[in-house]
Amino acid sequence: MAELGQKLVFGGVRARNNVFLAPLAGYTDFAFRKLCYSFGAGLCFTEMVSAKGLLYNSEATKLLLHTFDGERDTPVQLFGSDPDILRTACESEELSPFCAVDLNMGCPVPKVFKNGEGSALLANFPLAERIISACKKSGKTVSVKFRIGLERGKTFAAEFAKLCEGAGADLITVHGRTRDMYYAGEPDFAQIAAAKNAVRIPVVANGGIFTRADALSMLEKTGADGVMVARAAMYDPHVFAEILGGKKEWDKAAAIRAQIADMLPVYGEKFTLVQMRKMSAFYLRGTRGCAQYKNRLFACPSLSALEEILCEIFENGVV
């Protein structure tokens, strides 16, 4: 059985450890990844990036690909349904800073699913296989993130894992829920284990990991080579240090201010404010006296107003 914190090698990538940050749309921008890396995350995936958006030279798409100084070992997650467009994206200059391409075959969101992308590819094995094969021909290290099926009671994680390996994937991440479960309910450990036992490439387990105990249990029950943390990191990016057995406390004020300082020159005040109102509320969630500040955080009109609220929170010992 894999141990938490051990190195994980796949394709041309040598991850510093086997506790990864999931690709989270709207959250895993470069500043958040930088924070999670500082707490020990082994790999931090970008937000979901549209292959078509890259093809059409979308400025919004390019912003998702911004990296911080010194960021090298980060995989980019792509979504799409056209093998040729996805391969072109893999070969593009915009993706050259990224160590690997992760193919999204698990997103359950209706607008993605209805376009035949994300988890919709689980209903089309031949197309999924062509996509993986095409992207592998780009020369990139390729991983695939997928769910165990579309509906509860109709799961096929092992079969899809074999397809991924056969098409050339270097690593797979298995989210232990079906598409109709979205992000609720206990993950199906048996399905993740079945996928692990079906292939020789590394398997990362995803779903329901909020603590070190959860991560240890996931490895024990599935035999996976690593774990991927999602929502827990949104609320507490320091969870990586906790899972890896590090320090239990972190300087939330410094972390919030560092994210703002990183984001402001790249995204501007409006986007940075909206993002950091949300993230600040997440980080303060569950701490003593934070409820009285939540509405004020979401309503503050400027970064200077946000700073005033943060000063009040930290000076009053809320955290």
Side-chain angles (χ1 to χ4, degrees):
M1 185 182 87
E3 295 182 0
L4 285 177
Q6 72 181 41
K7 289 188 165 105
L8 201 161
V9 179
F10 63 100
V13 177
R14 297 181 64 85
R16 68 187 79 178
N17 64 60
N18 59 353
V19 183
F20 295 172
L21 170 67
L24 298 167
Y27 295 97
T28 54
D29 57 66
F30 78 98
F32 185 69
R33 296 195 305 270
K34 183 179 179 181
L35 182 61
C36 292
Y37 276 129
S38 76
F39 290 136
L43 282 180
C44 297
F45 290 67
T46 71
E47 300 179 59
M48 231 174 32
V49 173
S50 166
K52 284 184 180 177
L54 278 176
L55 181 70
Y56 297 130
N57 212 27
S58 162
E59 289 303 318
T61 299
K62 286 182 179 179
L63 273 178
L64 297 176
L65 297 172
H66 190 84
T67 57
F68 60 84
D69 287 345
E71 185 173 14
R72 297 287 180 269
D73 297 328
T74 286
V76 58
Q77 192 186 66
L78 284 183
F79 75 99
S81 59
D82 185 306
D84 293 332
I85 291 176
L86 281 156
R87 177 174 176 176
T88 299
C90 290
E91 294 172 342
S92 67
E93 183 62 28
E94 286 81 3
L95 297 197
S96 61
F98 299 96
C99 68
V101 169
D102 184 62
L103 298 172
N104 184 309
M105 298 191 180
C107 180
V109 175
K111 69 178 182 179
V112 174
F113 186 83
K114 288 175 183 176
N115 282 337
E117 301 165 335
S119 59
L121 292 166
L122 299 175
N124 193 337
F125 275 39
L127 178 57
E129 187 172 32
R130 290 200 302 275
I131 286 171
I132 298 165
S133 178
C135 291
K136 188 61 183 173
K137 288 174 184 172
S138 72
K140 281 279 194 183
T141 295
V142 173
S143 61
V144 183
K145 188 171 189 287
F146 65 89
R147 287 174 176 254
I148 59 175
L150 294 171
E151 302 173 20
R152 278 164 281 197
K154 298 179 181 178
T155 51
F156 43 75
E159 291 87 343
F160 202 80
K162 288 179 186 175
L163 177 150
C164 293
E165 181 178 47
D170 299 291
L171 173 142
I172 56 173
T173 299
V174 185
H175 185 160
R177 299 185 179 99
T178 51
R179 188 253 169 178
D180 63 344
M181 293 173 72
Y182 279 71
Y183 307 104
E186 185 174 75
D188 190 326
F189 301 109
Q191 278 290 303
I192 300 174
K196 169 60 184 171
N197 292 331
V199 297
R200 295 180 207 168
I201 57 175
V203 175
V204 175
N206 174 223
I209 298 170
F210 290 85
T211 65
R212 178 175 172 83
D214 293 335
L216 289 168
S217 177
M218 179 65 85
L219 291 182
E220 182 181 355
K221 291 177 179 178
T222 66
D225 301 287
V227 296
M228 182 174 279
V229 180
R231 285 173 296 155
M234 287 161 41
Y235 303 133
D236 179 10
H238 183 263
V239 70
F240 293 101
E242 192 266 320
I243 288 174
L244 291 163
K247 293 180 180 178
K248 302 276 182 176
E249 297 179 0
W250 57 295
D251 187 337
K252 295 183 180 182
I256 291 169
R257 288 167 179 143
Q259 273 188 269
I260 291 172
D262 284 335
M263 294 175 69
L264 190 56
V266 178
Y267 298 132
E269 175 157 357
K270 183 177 179 181
F271 180 88
T272 301
L273 173 65
V274 171
Q275 186 74 352
M276 292 312 298
R277 288 188 310 203
K278 174 176 64 177
M279 300 309 293
S280 297
F282 279 155
Y283 298 162
L284 297 172
R285 181 175 174 261
T287 57
R288 178 176 56 84
C290 71
Q292 62 181 305
Y293 292 100
K294 185 175 179 182
N295 290 338
R296 288 177 60 195
L297 280 171
F298 279 111
C300 69
S302 65
L303 286 175
S304 59
L306 177 61
E307 174 63 24
E308 288 178 10
I309 296 172
L310 292 174
C311 285
E312 185 179 338
I313 289 171
F314 294 115
E315 286 173 5
N316 288 342
V318 173
V319 181

